[in-house]
Amino acid sequence: MDQMIIRGGVPLKGTIAISGAKNAALPLLAASLLTDEVLTLHNVPQLADITAMGRLLAQHGVDFSLEGFEGSGHSMALCAKTITSTTAPYDLVRRMRASVLVLGPLLARCGQARVSLPGGCAIGSRPVDLHIAALEKMGAEIVICDGYMQARAPQGLRGAEIIFPVVTVTGTENVLMAATMAKGETVIVNAAREPEVTDLATCLVAMGAVIEGIGTDRLCVQGVDRLHGATHRVISDRIELGTYVMAAAITGGDLRLMGARTDRLKTVFATLAHAGVQIDTIEGGLRVYRKEKDLHGVDVMTEPFPGFPTDLQAQMMALMCVAKGAAMITETIFENRFMHVPELVRMGANITVHGSSAIVRGVERLRGAPVMATDLRASVSLALAALAAEGETRLNRIYHLDRGYERLEEKLGACGAQIERLRGKAA
Ligand code: EPZ
């Protein structure tokens, strides 16, 4: 397995282009199943998860071409002219939970789907019970058999009022896609408001869907007979942006982050301002640097959008490890998203976990060490800590990083980071 070697202590200086959003591109790719015409997506990030989704769609019968454009991301033209299989097999789904996003589109287009249950992952059990309950309310018959969700809607799906007891991003996305061609009106109450959900809804409207309330927690969908092709540009990745903002802050550097918008991370930027991070809007992006020599500990609680995103919790924890004072970080979305803690402690961090909260007491300096990545965001948190640490950090299992960060070592290396990837090294 590949390893990454990082020699820390270098303030990052330079410019980084932010890529298209992984968590917008994944549902957008699944949306190609809803039409027999071509869906063209621009600014698609080149990531392992995107490749995995492409592989899954290909076995459903989706033809797609990928053109690479330097800097402007990648364009994909997808066409599900004929769906040759409505089964999403376990060996593909287990590698990427977002595969569950084919369930709604397959039901809407074909009236049936056999999708492997995704199984748990490092950060939690991550059930899909809310997806199932919502689609059943829309008339689908779903049984669990041999680890698969066997779903059928022989008379097609019908509109319904769907009330989500907790905010679920992919649950909202699955129901939204299913509802576009259901008979009648579907109202989704307590819908996820993440910008990636809004990006999907915008693309579905371009494909001919009728959706009101986009960007709010109440989405109203009038079903139509069919959707047509469209061209859509994937929004920039706010989680990648937040990660590089913290990379500038943790190293005491000065970065220009291009292709980024400030309005999708307002809570994060307000929190970072309190911690002593200066974020200026410049032509085409942002400039990030420390307001003064030291950072200060600030408390964080993760919440659904527009709150502090759980996908930036681990990165924020790394930043707080080198701030003056203490920070209480509370994770409210997933039940096991502190796996970066023991690895950060091995680098000299002072962190105590009490249930879903962690108290971080800032230390003068972190020290490089061999550490283990466990999930996508935990692994990038360790990379941030390594960039600030004294000495060398050897990061194992960096395939997690490749799932969500396009050309990480290239982007950081261009800003002065001493970072290299060792191919195929044993863990
Ligand atoms: C999406 O996952 C993201 N993934 C995650 O990003 C992100 O952390 C998460 O939303 C929260 O923002 C994609 O968009 C591909 P949820 P999702 O359904 O949709 C519970 C990353 O690092 N729940 O919003 O799977 C669930 O257990 C990834 O890029 C149920 O109980 O998350 C969790 O506690 C990690 N039953 C809460 O809801 C369900 O049927 C929120 O989960 C569904 C969810």
Side-chain angles (χ1 to χ4, degrees), residues 184-395:
E185 178 182 77
T186 298
V187 179
I188 306 174
V189 179
N190 200 25
R193 291 187 281 160
E194 272 66 8
E196 295 74 29
V197 177
T198 297
D199 201 35
L200 172 65
T202 305
C203 179
L204 292 171
V205 167
M207 295 168 70
V210 178
I211 304 173
E212 289 171 0
I214 295 177
T216 75
D217 63 357
R218 188 179 188 278
L219 296 172
C220 187
V221 187
Q222 304 299 333
V224 295
D225 291 339
R226 63 185 295 279
L227 295 186
H228 50 72
T231 295
H232 180 80
R233 180 178 176 77
V234 180
I235 55 171
S236 64
D237 194 319
R238 64 193 171 103
I239 304 302
E240 185 193 28
L241 169 63
T243 302
Y244 287 127
V245 166
M246 293 185 201
I250 202 169
T251 60
D254 186 337
L255 287 181
R256 290 167 186 280
L257 303 175
M258 309 314 286
R261 286 176 42 168
T262 57
D263 60 338
R264 297 181 181 132
L265 285 179
K266 282 181 179 166
T267 307
V268 174
F269 289 178
T271 305
L272 290 172
H274 284 305
V277 182
Q278 182 66 35
I279 301 171
D280 297 338
T281 301
I282 59 173
E283 180 66 32
L286 302 174
R287 182 187 168 211
V288 186
Y289 52 98
R290 286 189 190 185
K291 286 178 183 166
E292 52 202 30
K293 177 177 169 298
D294 293 327
L295 296 169
H296 313 287
V298 291
D299 293 348
V300 167
M301 179 178 283
T302 63
E303 292 173 310
F305 189 85
F308 195 103
T310 176
D311 291 350
L312 283 173
Q313 177 259 106
Q315 299 91 314
M316 186 69 186
M317 190 177 292
L319 185 63
M320 293 293 97
C321 289
V322 297
K324 290 279 182 240
M328 163 111 81
I329 296 182
T330 303
E331 172 59 56
T332 70
I333 306 293
F334 291 111
E335 66 264 31
N336 186 31
R337 206 167 195 180
F338 282 153
M339 283 157 304
H340 41 288
V341 169
E343 298 305 298
L344 290 169
V345 168
R346 297 186 62 247
M347 297 177 73
N350 180 346
I351 307 172
T352 312
V353 174
H354 294 282
S356 62
S357 290
I359 295 279
V360 184
R361 293 178 176 85
V363 296
E364 196 57 40
R365 204 101 175 103
L366 295 173
R367 290 182 310 283
V371 288
M372 182 76 71
T374 50
D375 66 272
L376 168 54
R377 308 304 174 180
S379 53
V380 86
S381 149
L382 297 176
L384 293 182
L387 288 169
E390 212 163 60
E392 178 180 288
T393 296
R394 193 169 282 258
L395 184 54

Side-chain angles (χ1 to χ4, degrees), residues 18-77:
I18 300 301
S19 302
K22 166 177 85 81
N23 288 350
L26 290 170
L28 287 166
L29 286 168
S32 65
L33 292 165
L34 290 166
T35 176
D36 59 3
E37 297 184 11
V38 177
L39 174 62
T40 300
L41 299 174
H42 295 302
N43 198 33
V44 180
Q46 196 167 7
L47 298 168
D49 273 11
I50 300 297
T51 305
M53 182 61 88
R55 196 175 298 128
L56 177 65
L57 293 174
Q59 64 89 45
H60 286 308
V62 177
D63 293 324
F64 58 91
S65 65
L66 173 65
E67 296 97 46
F69 295 102
E70 198 45 48
S72 65
H74 301 269
S75 293
M76 288 181 88

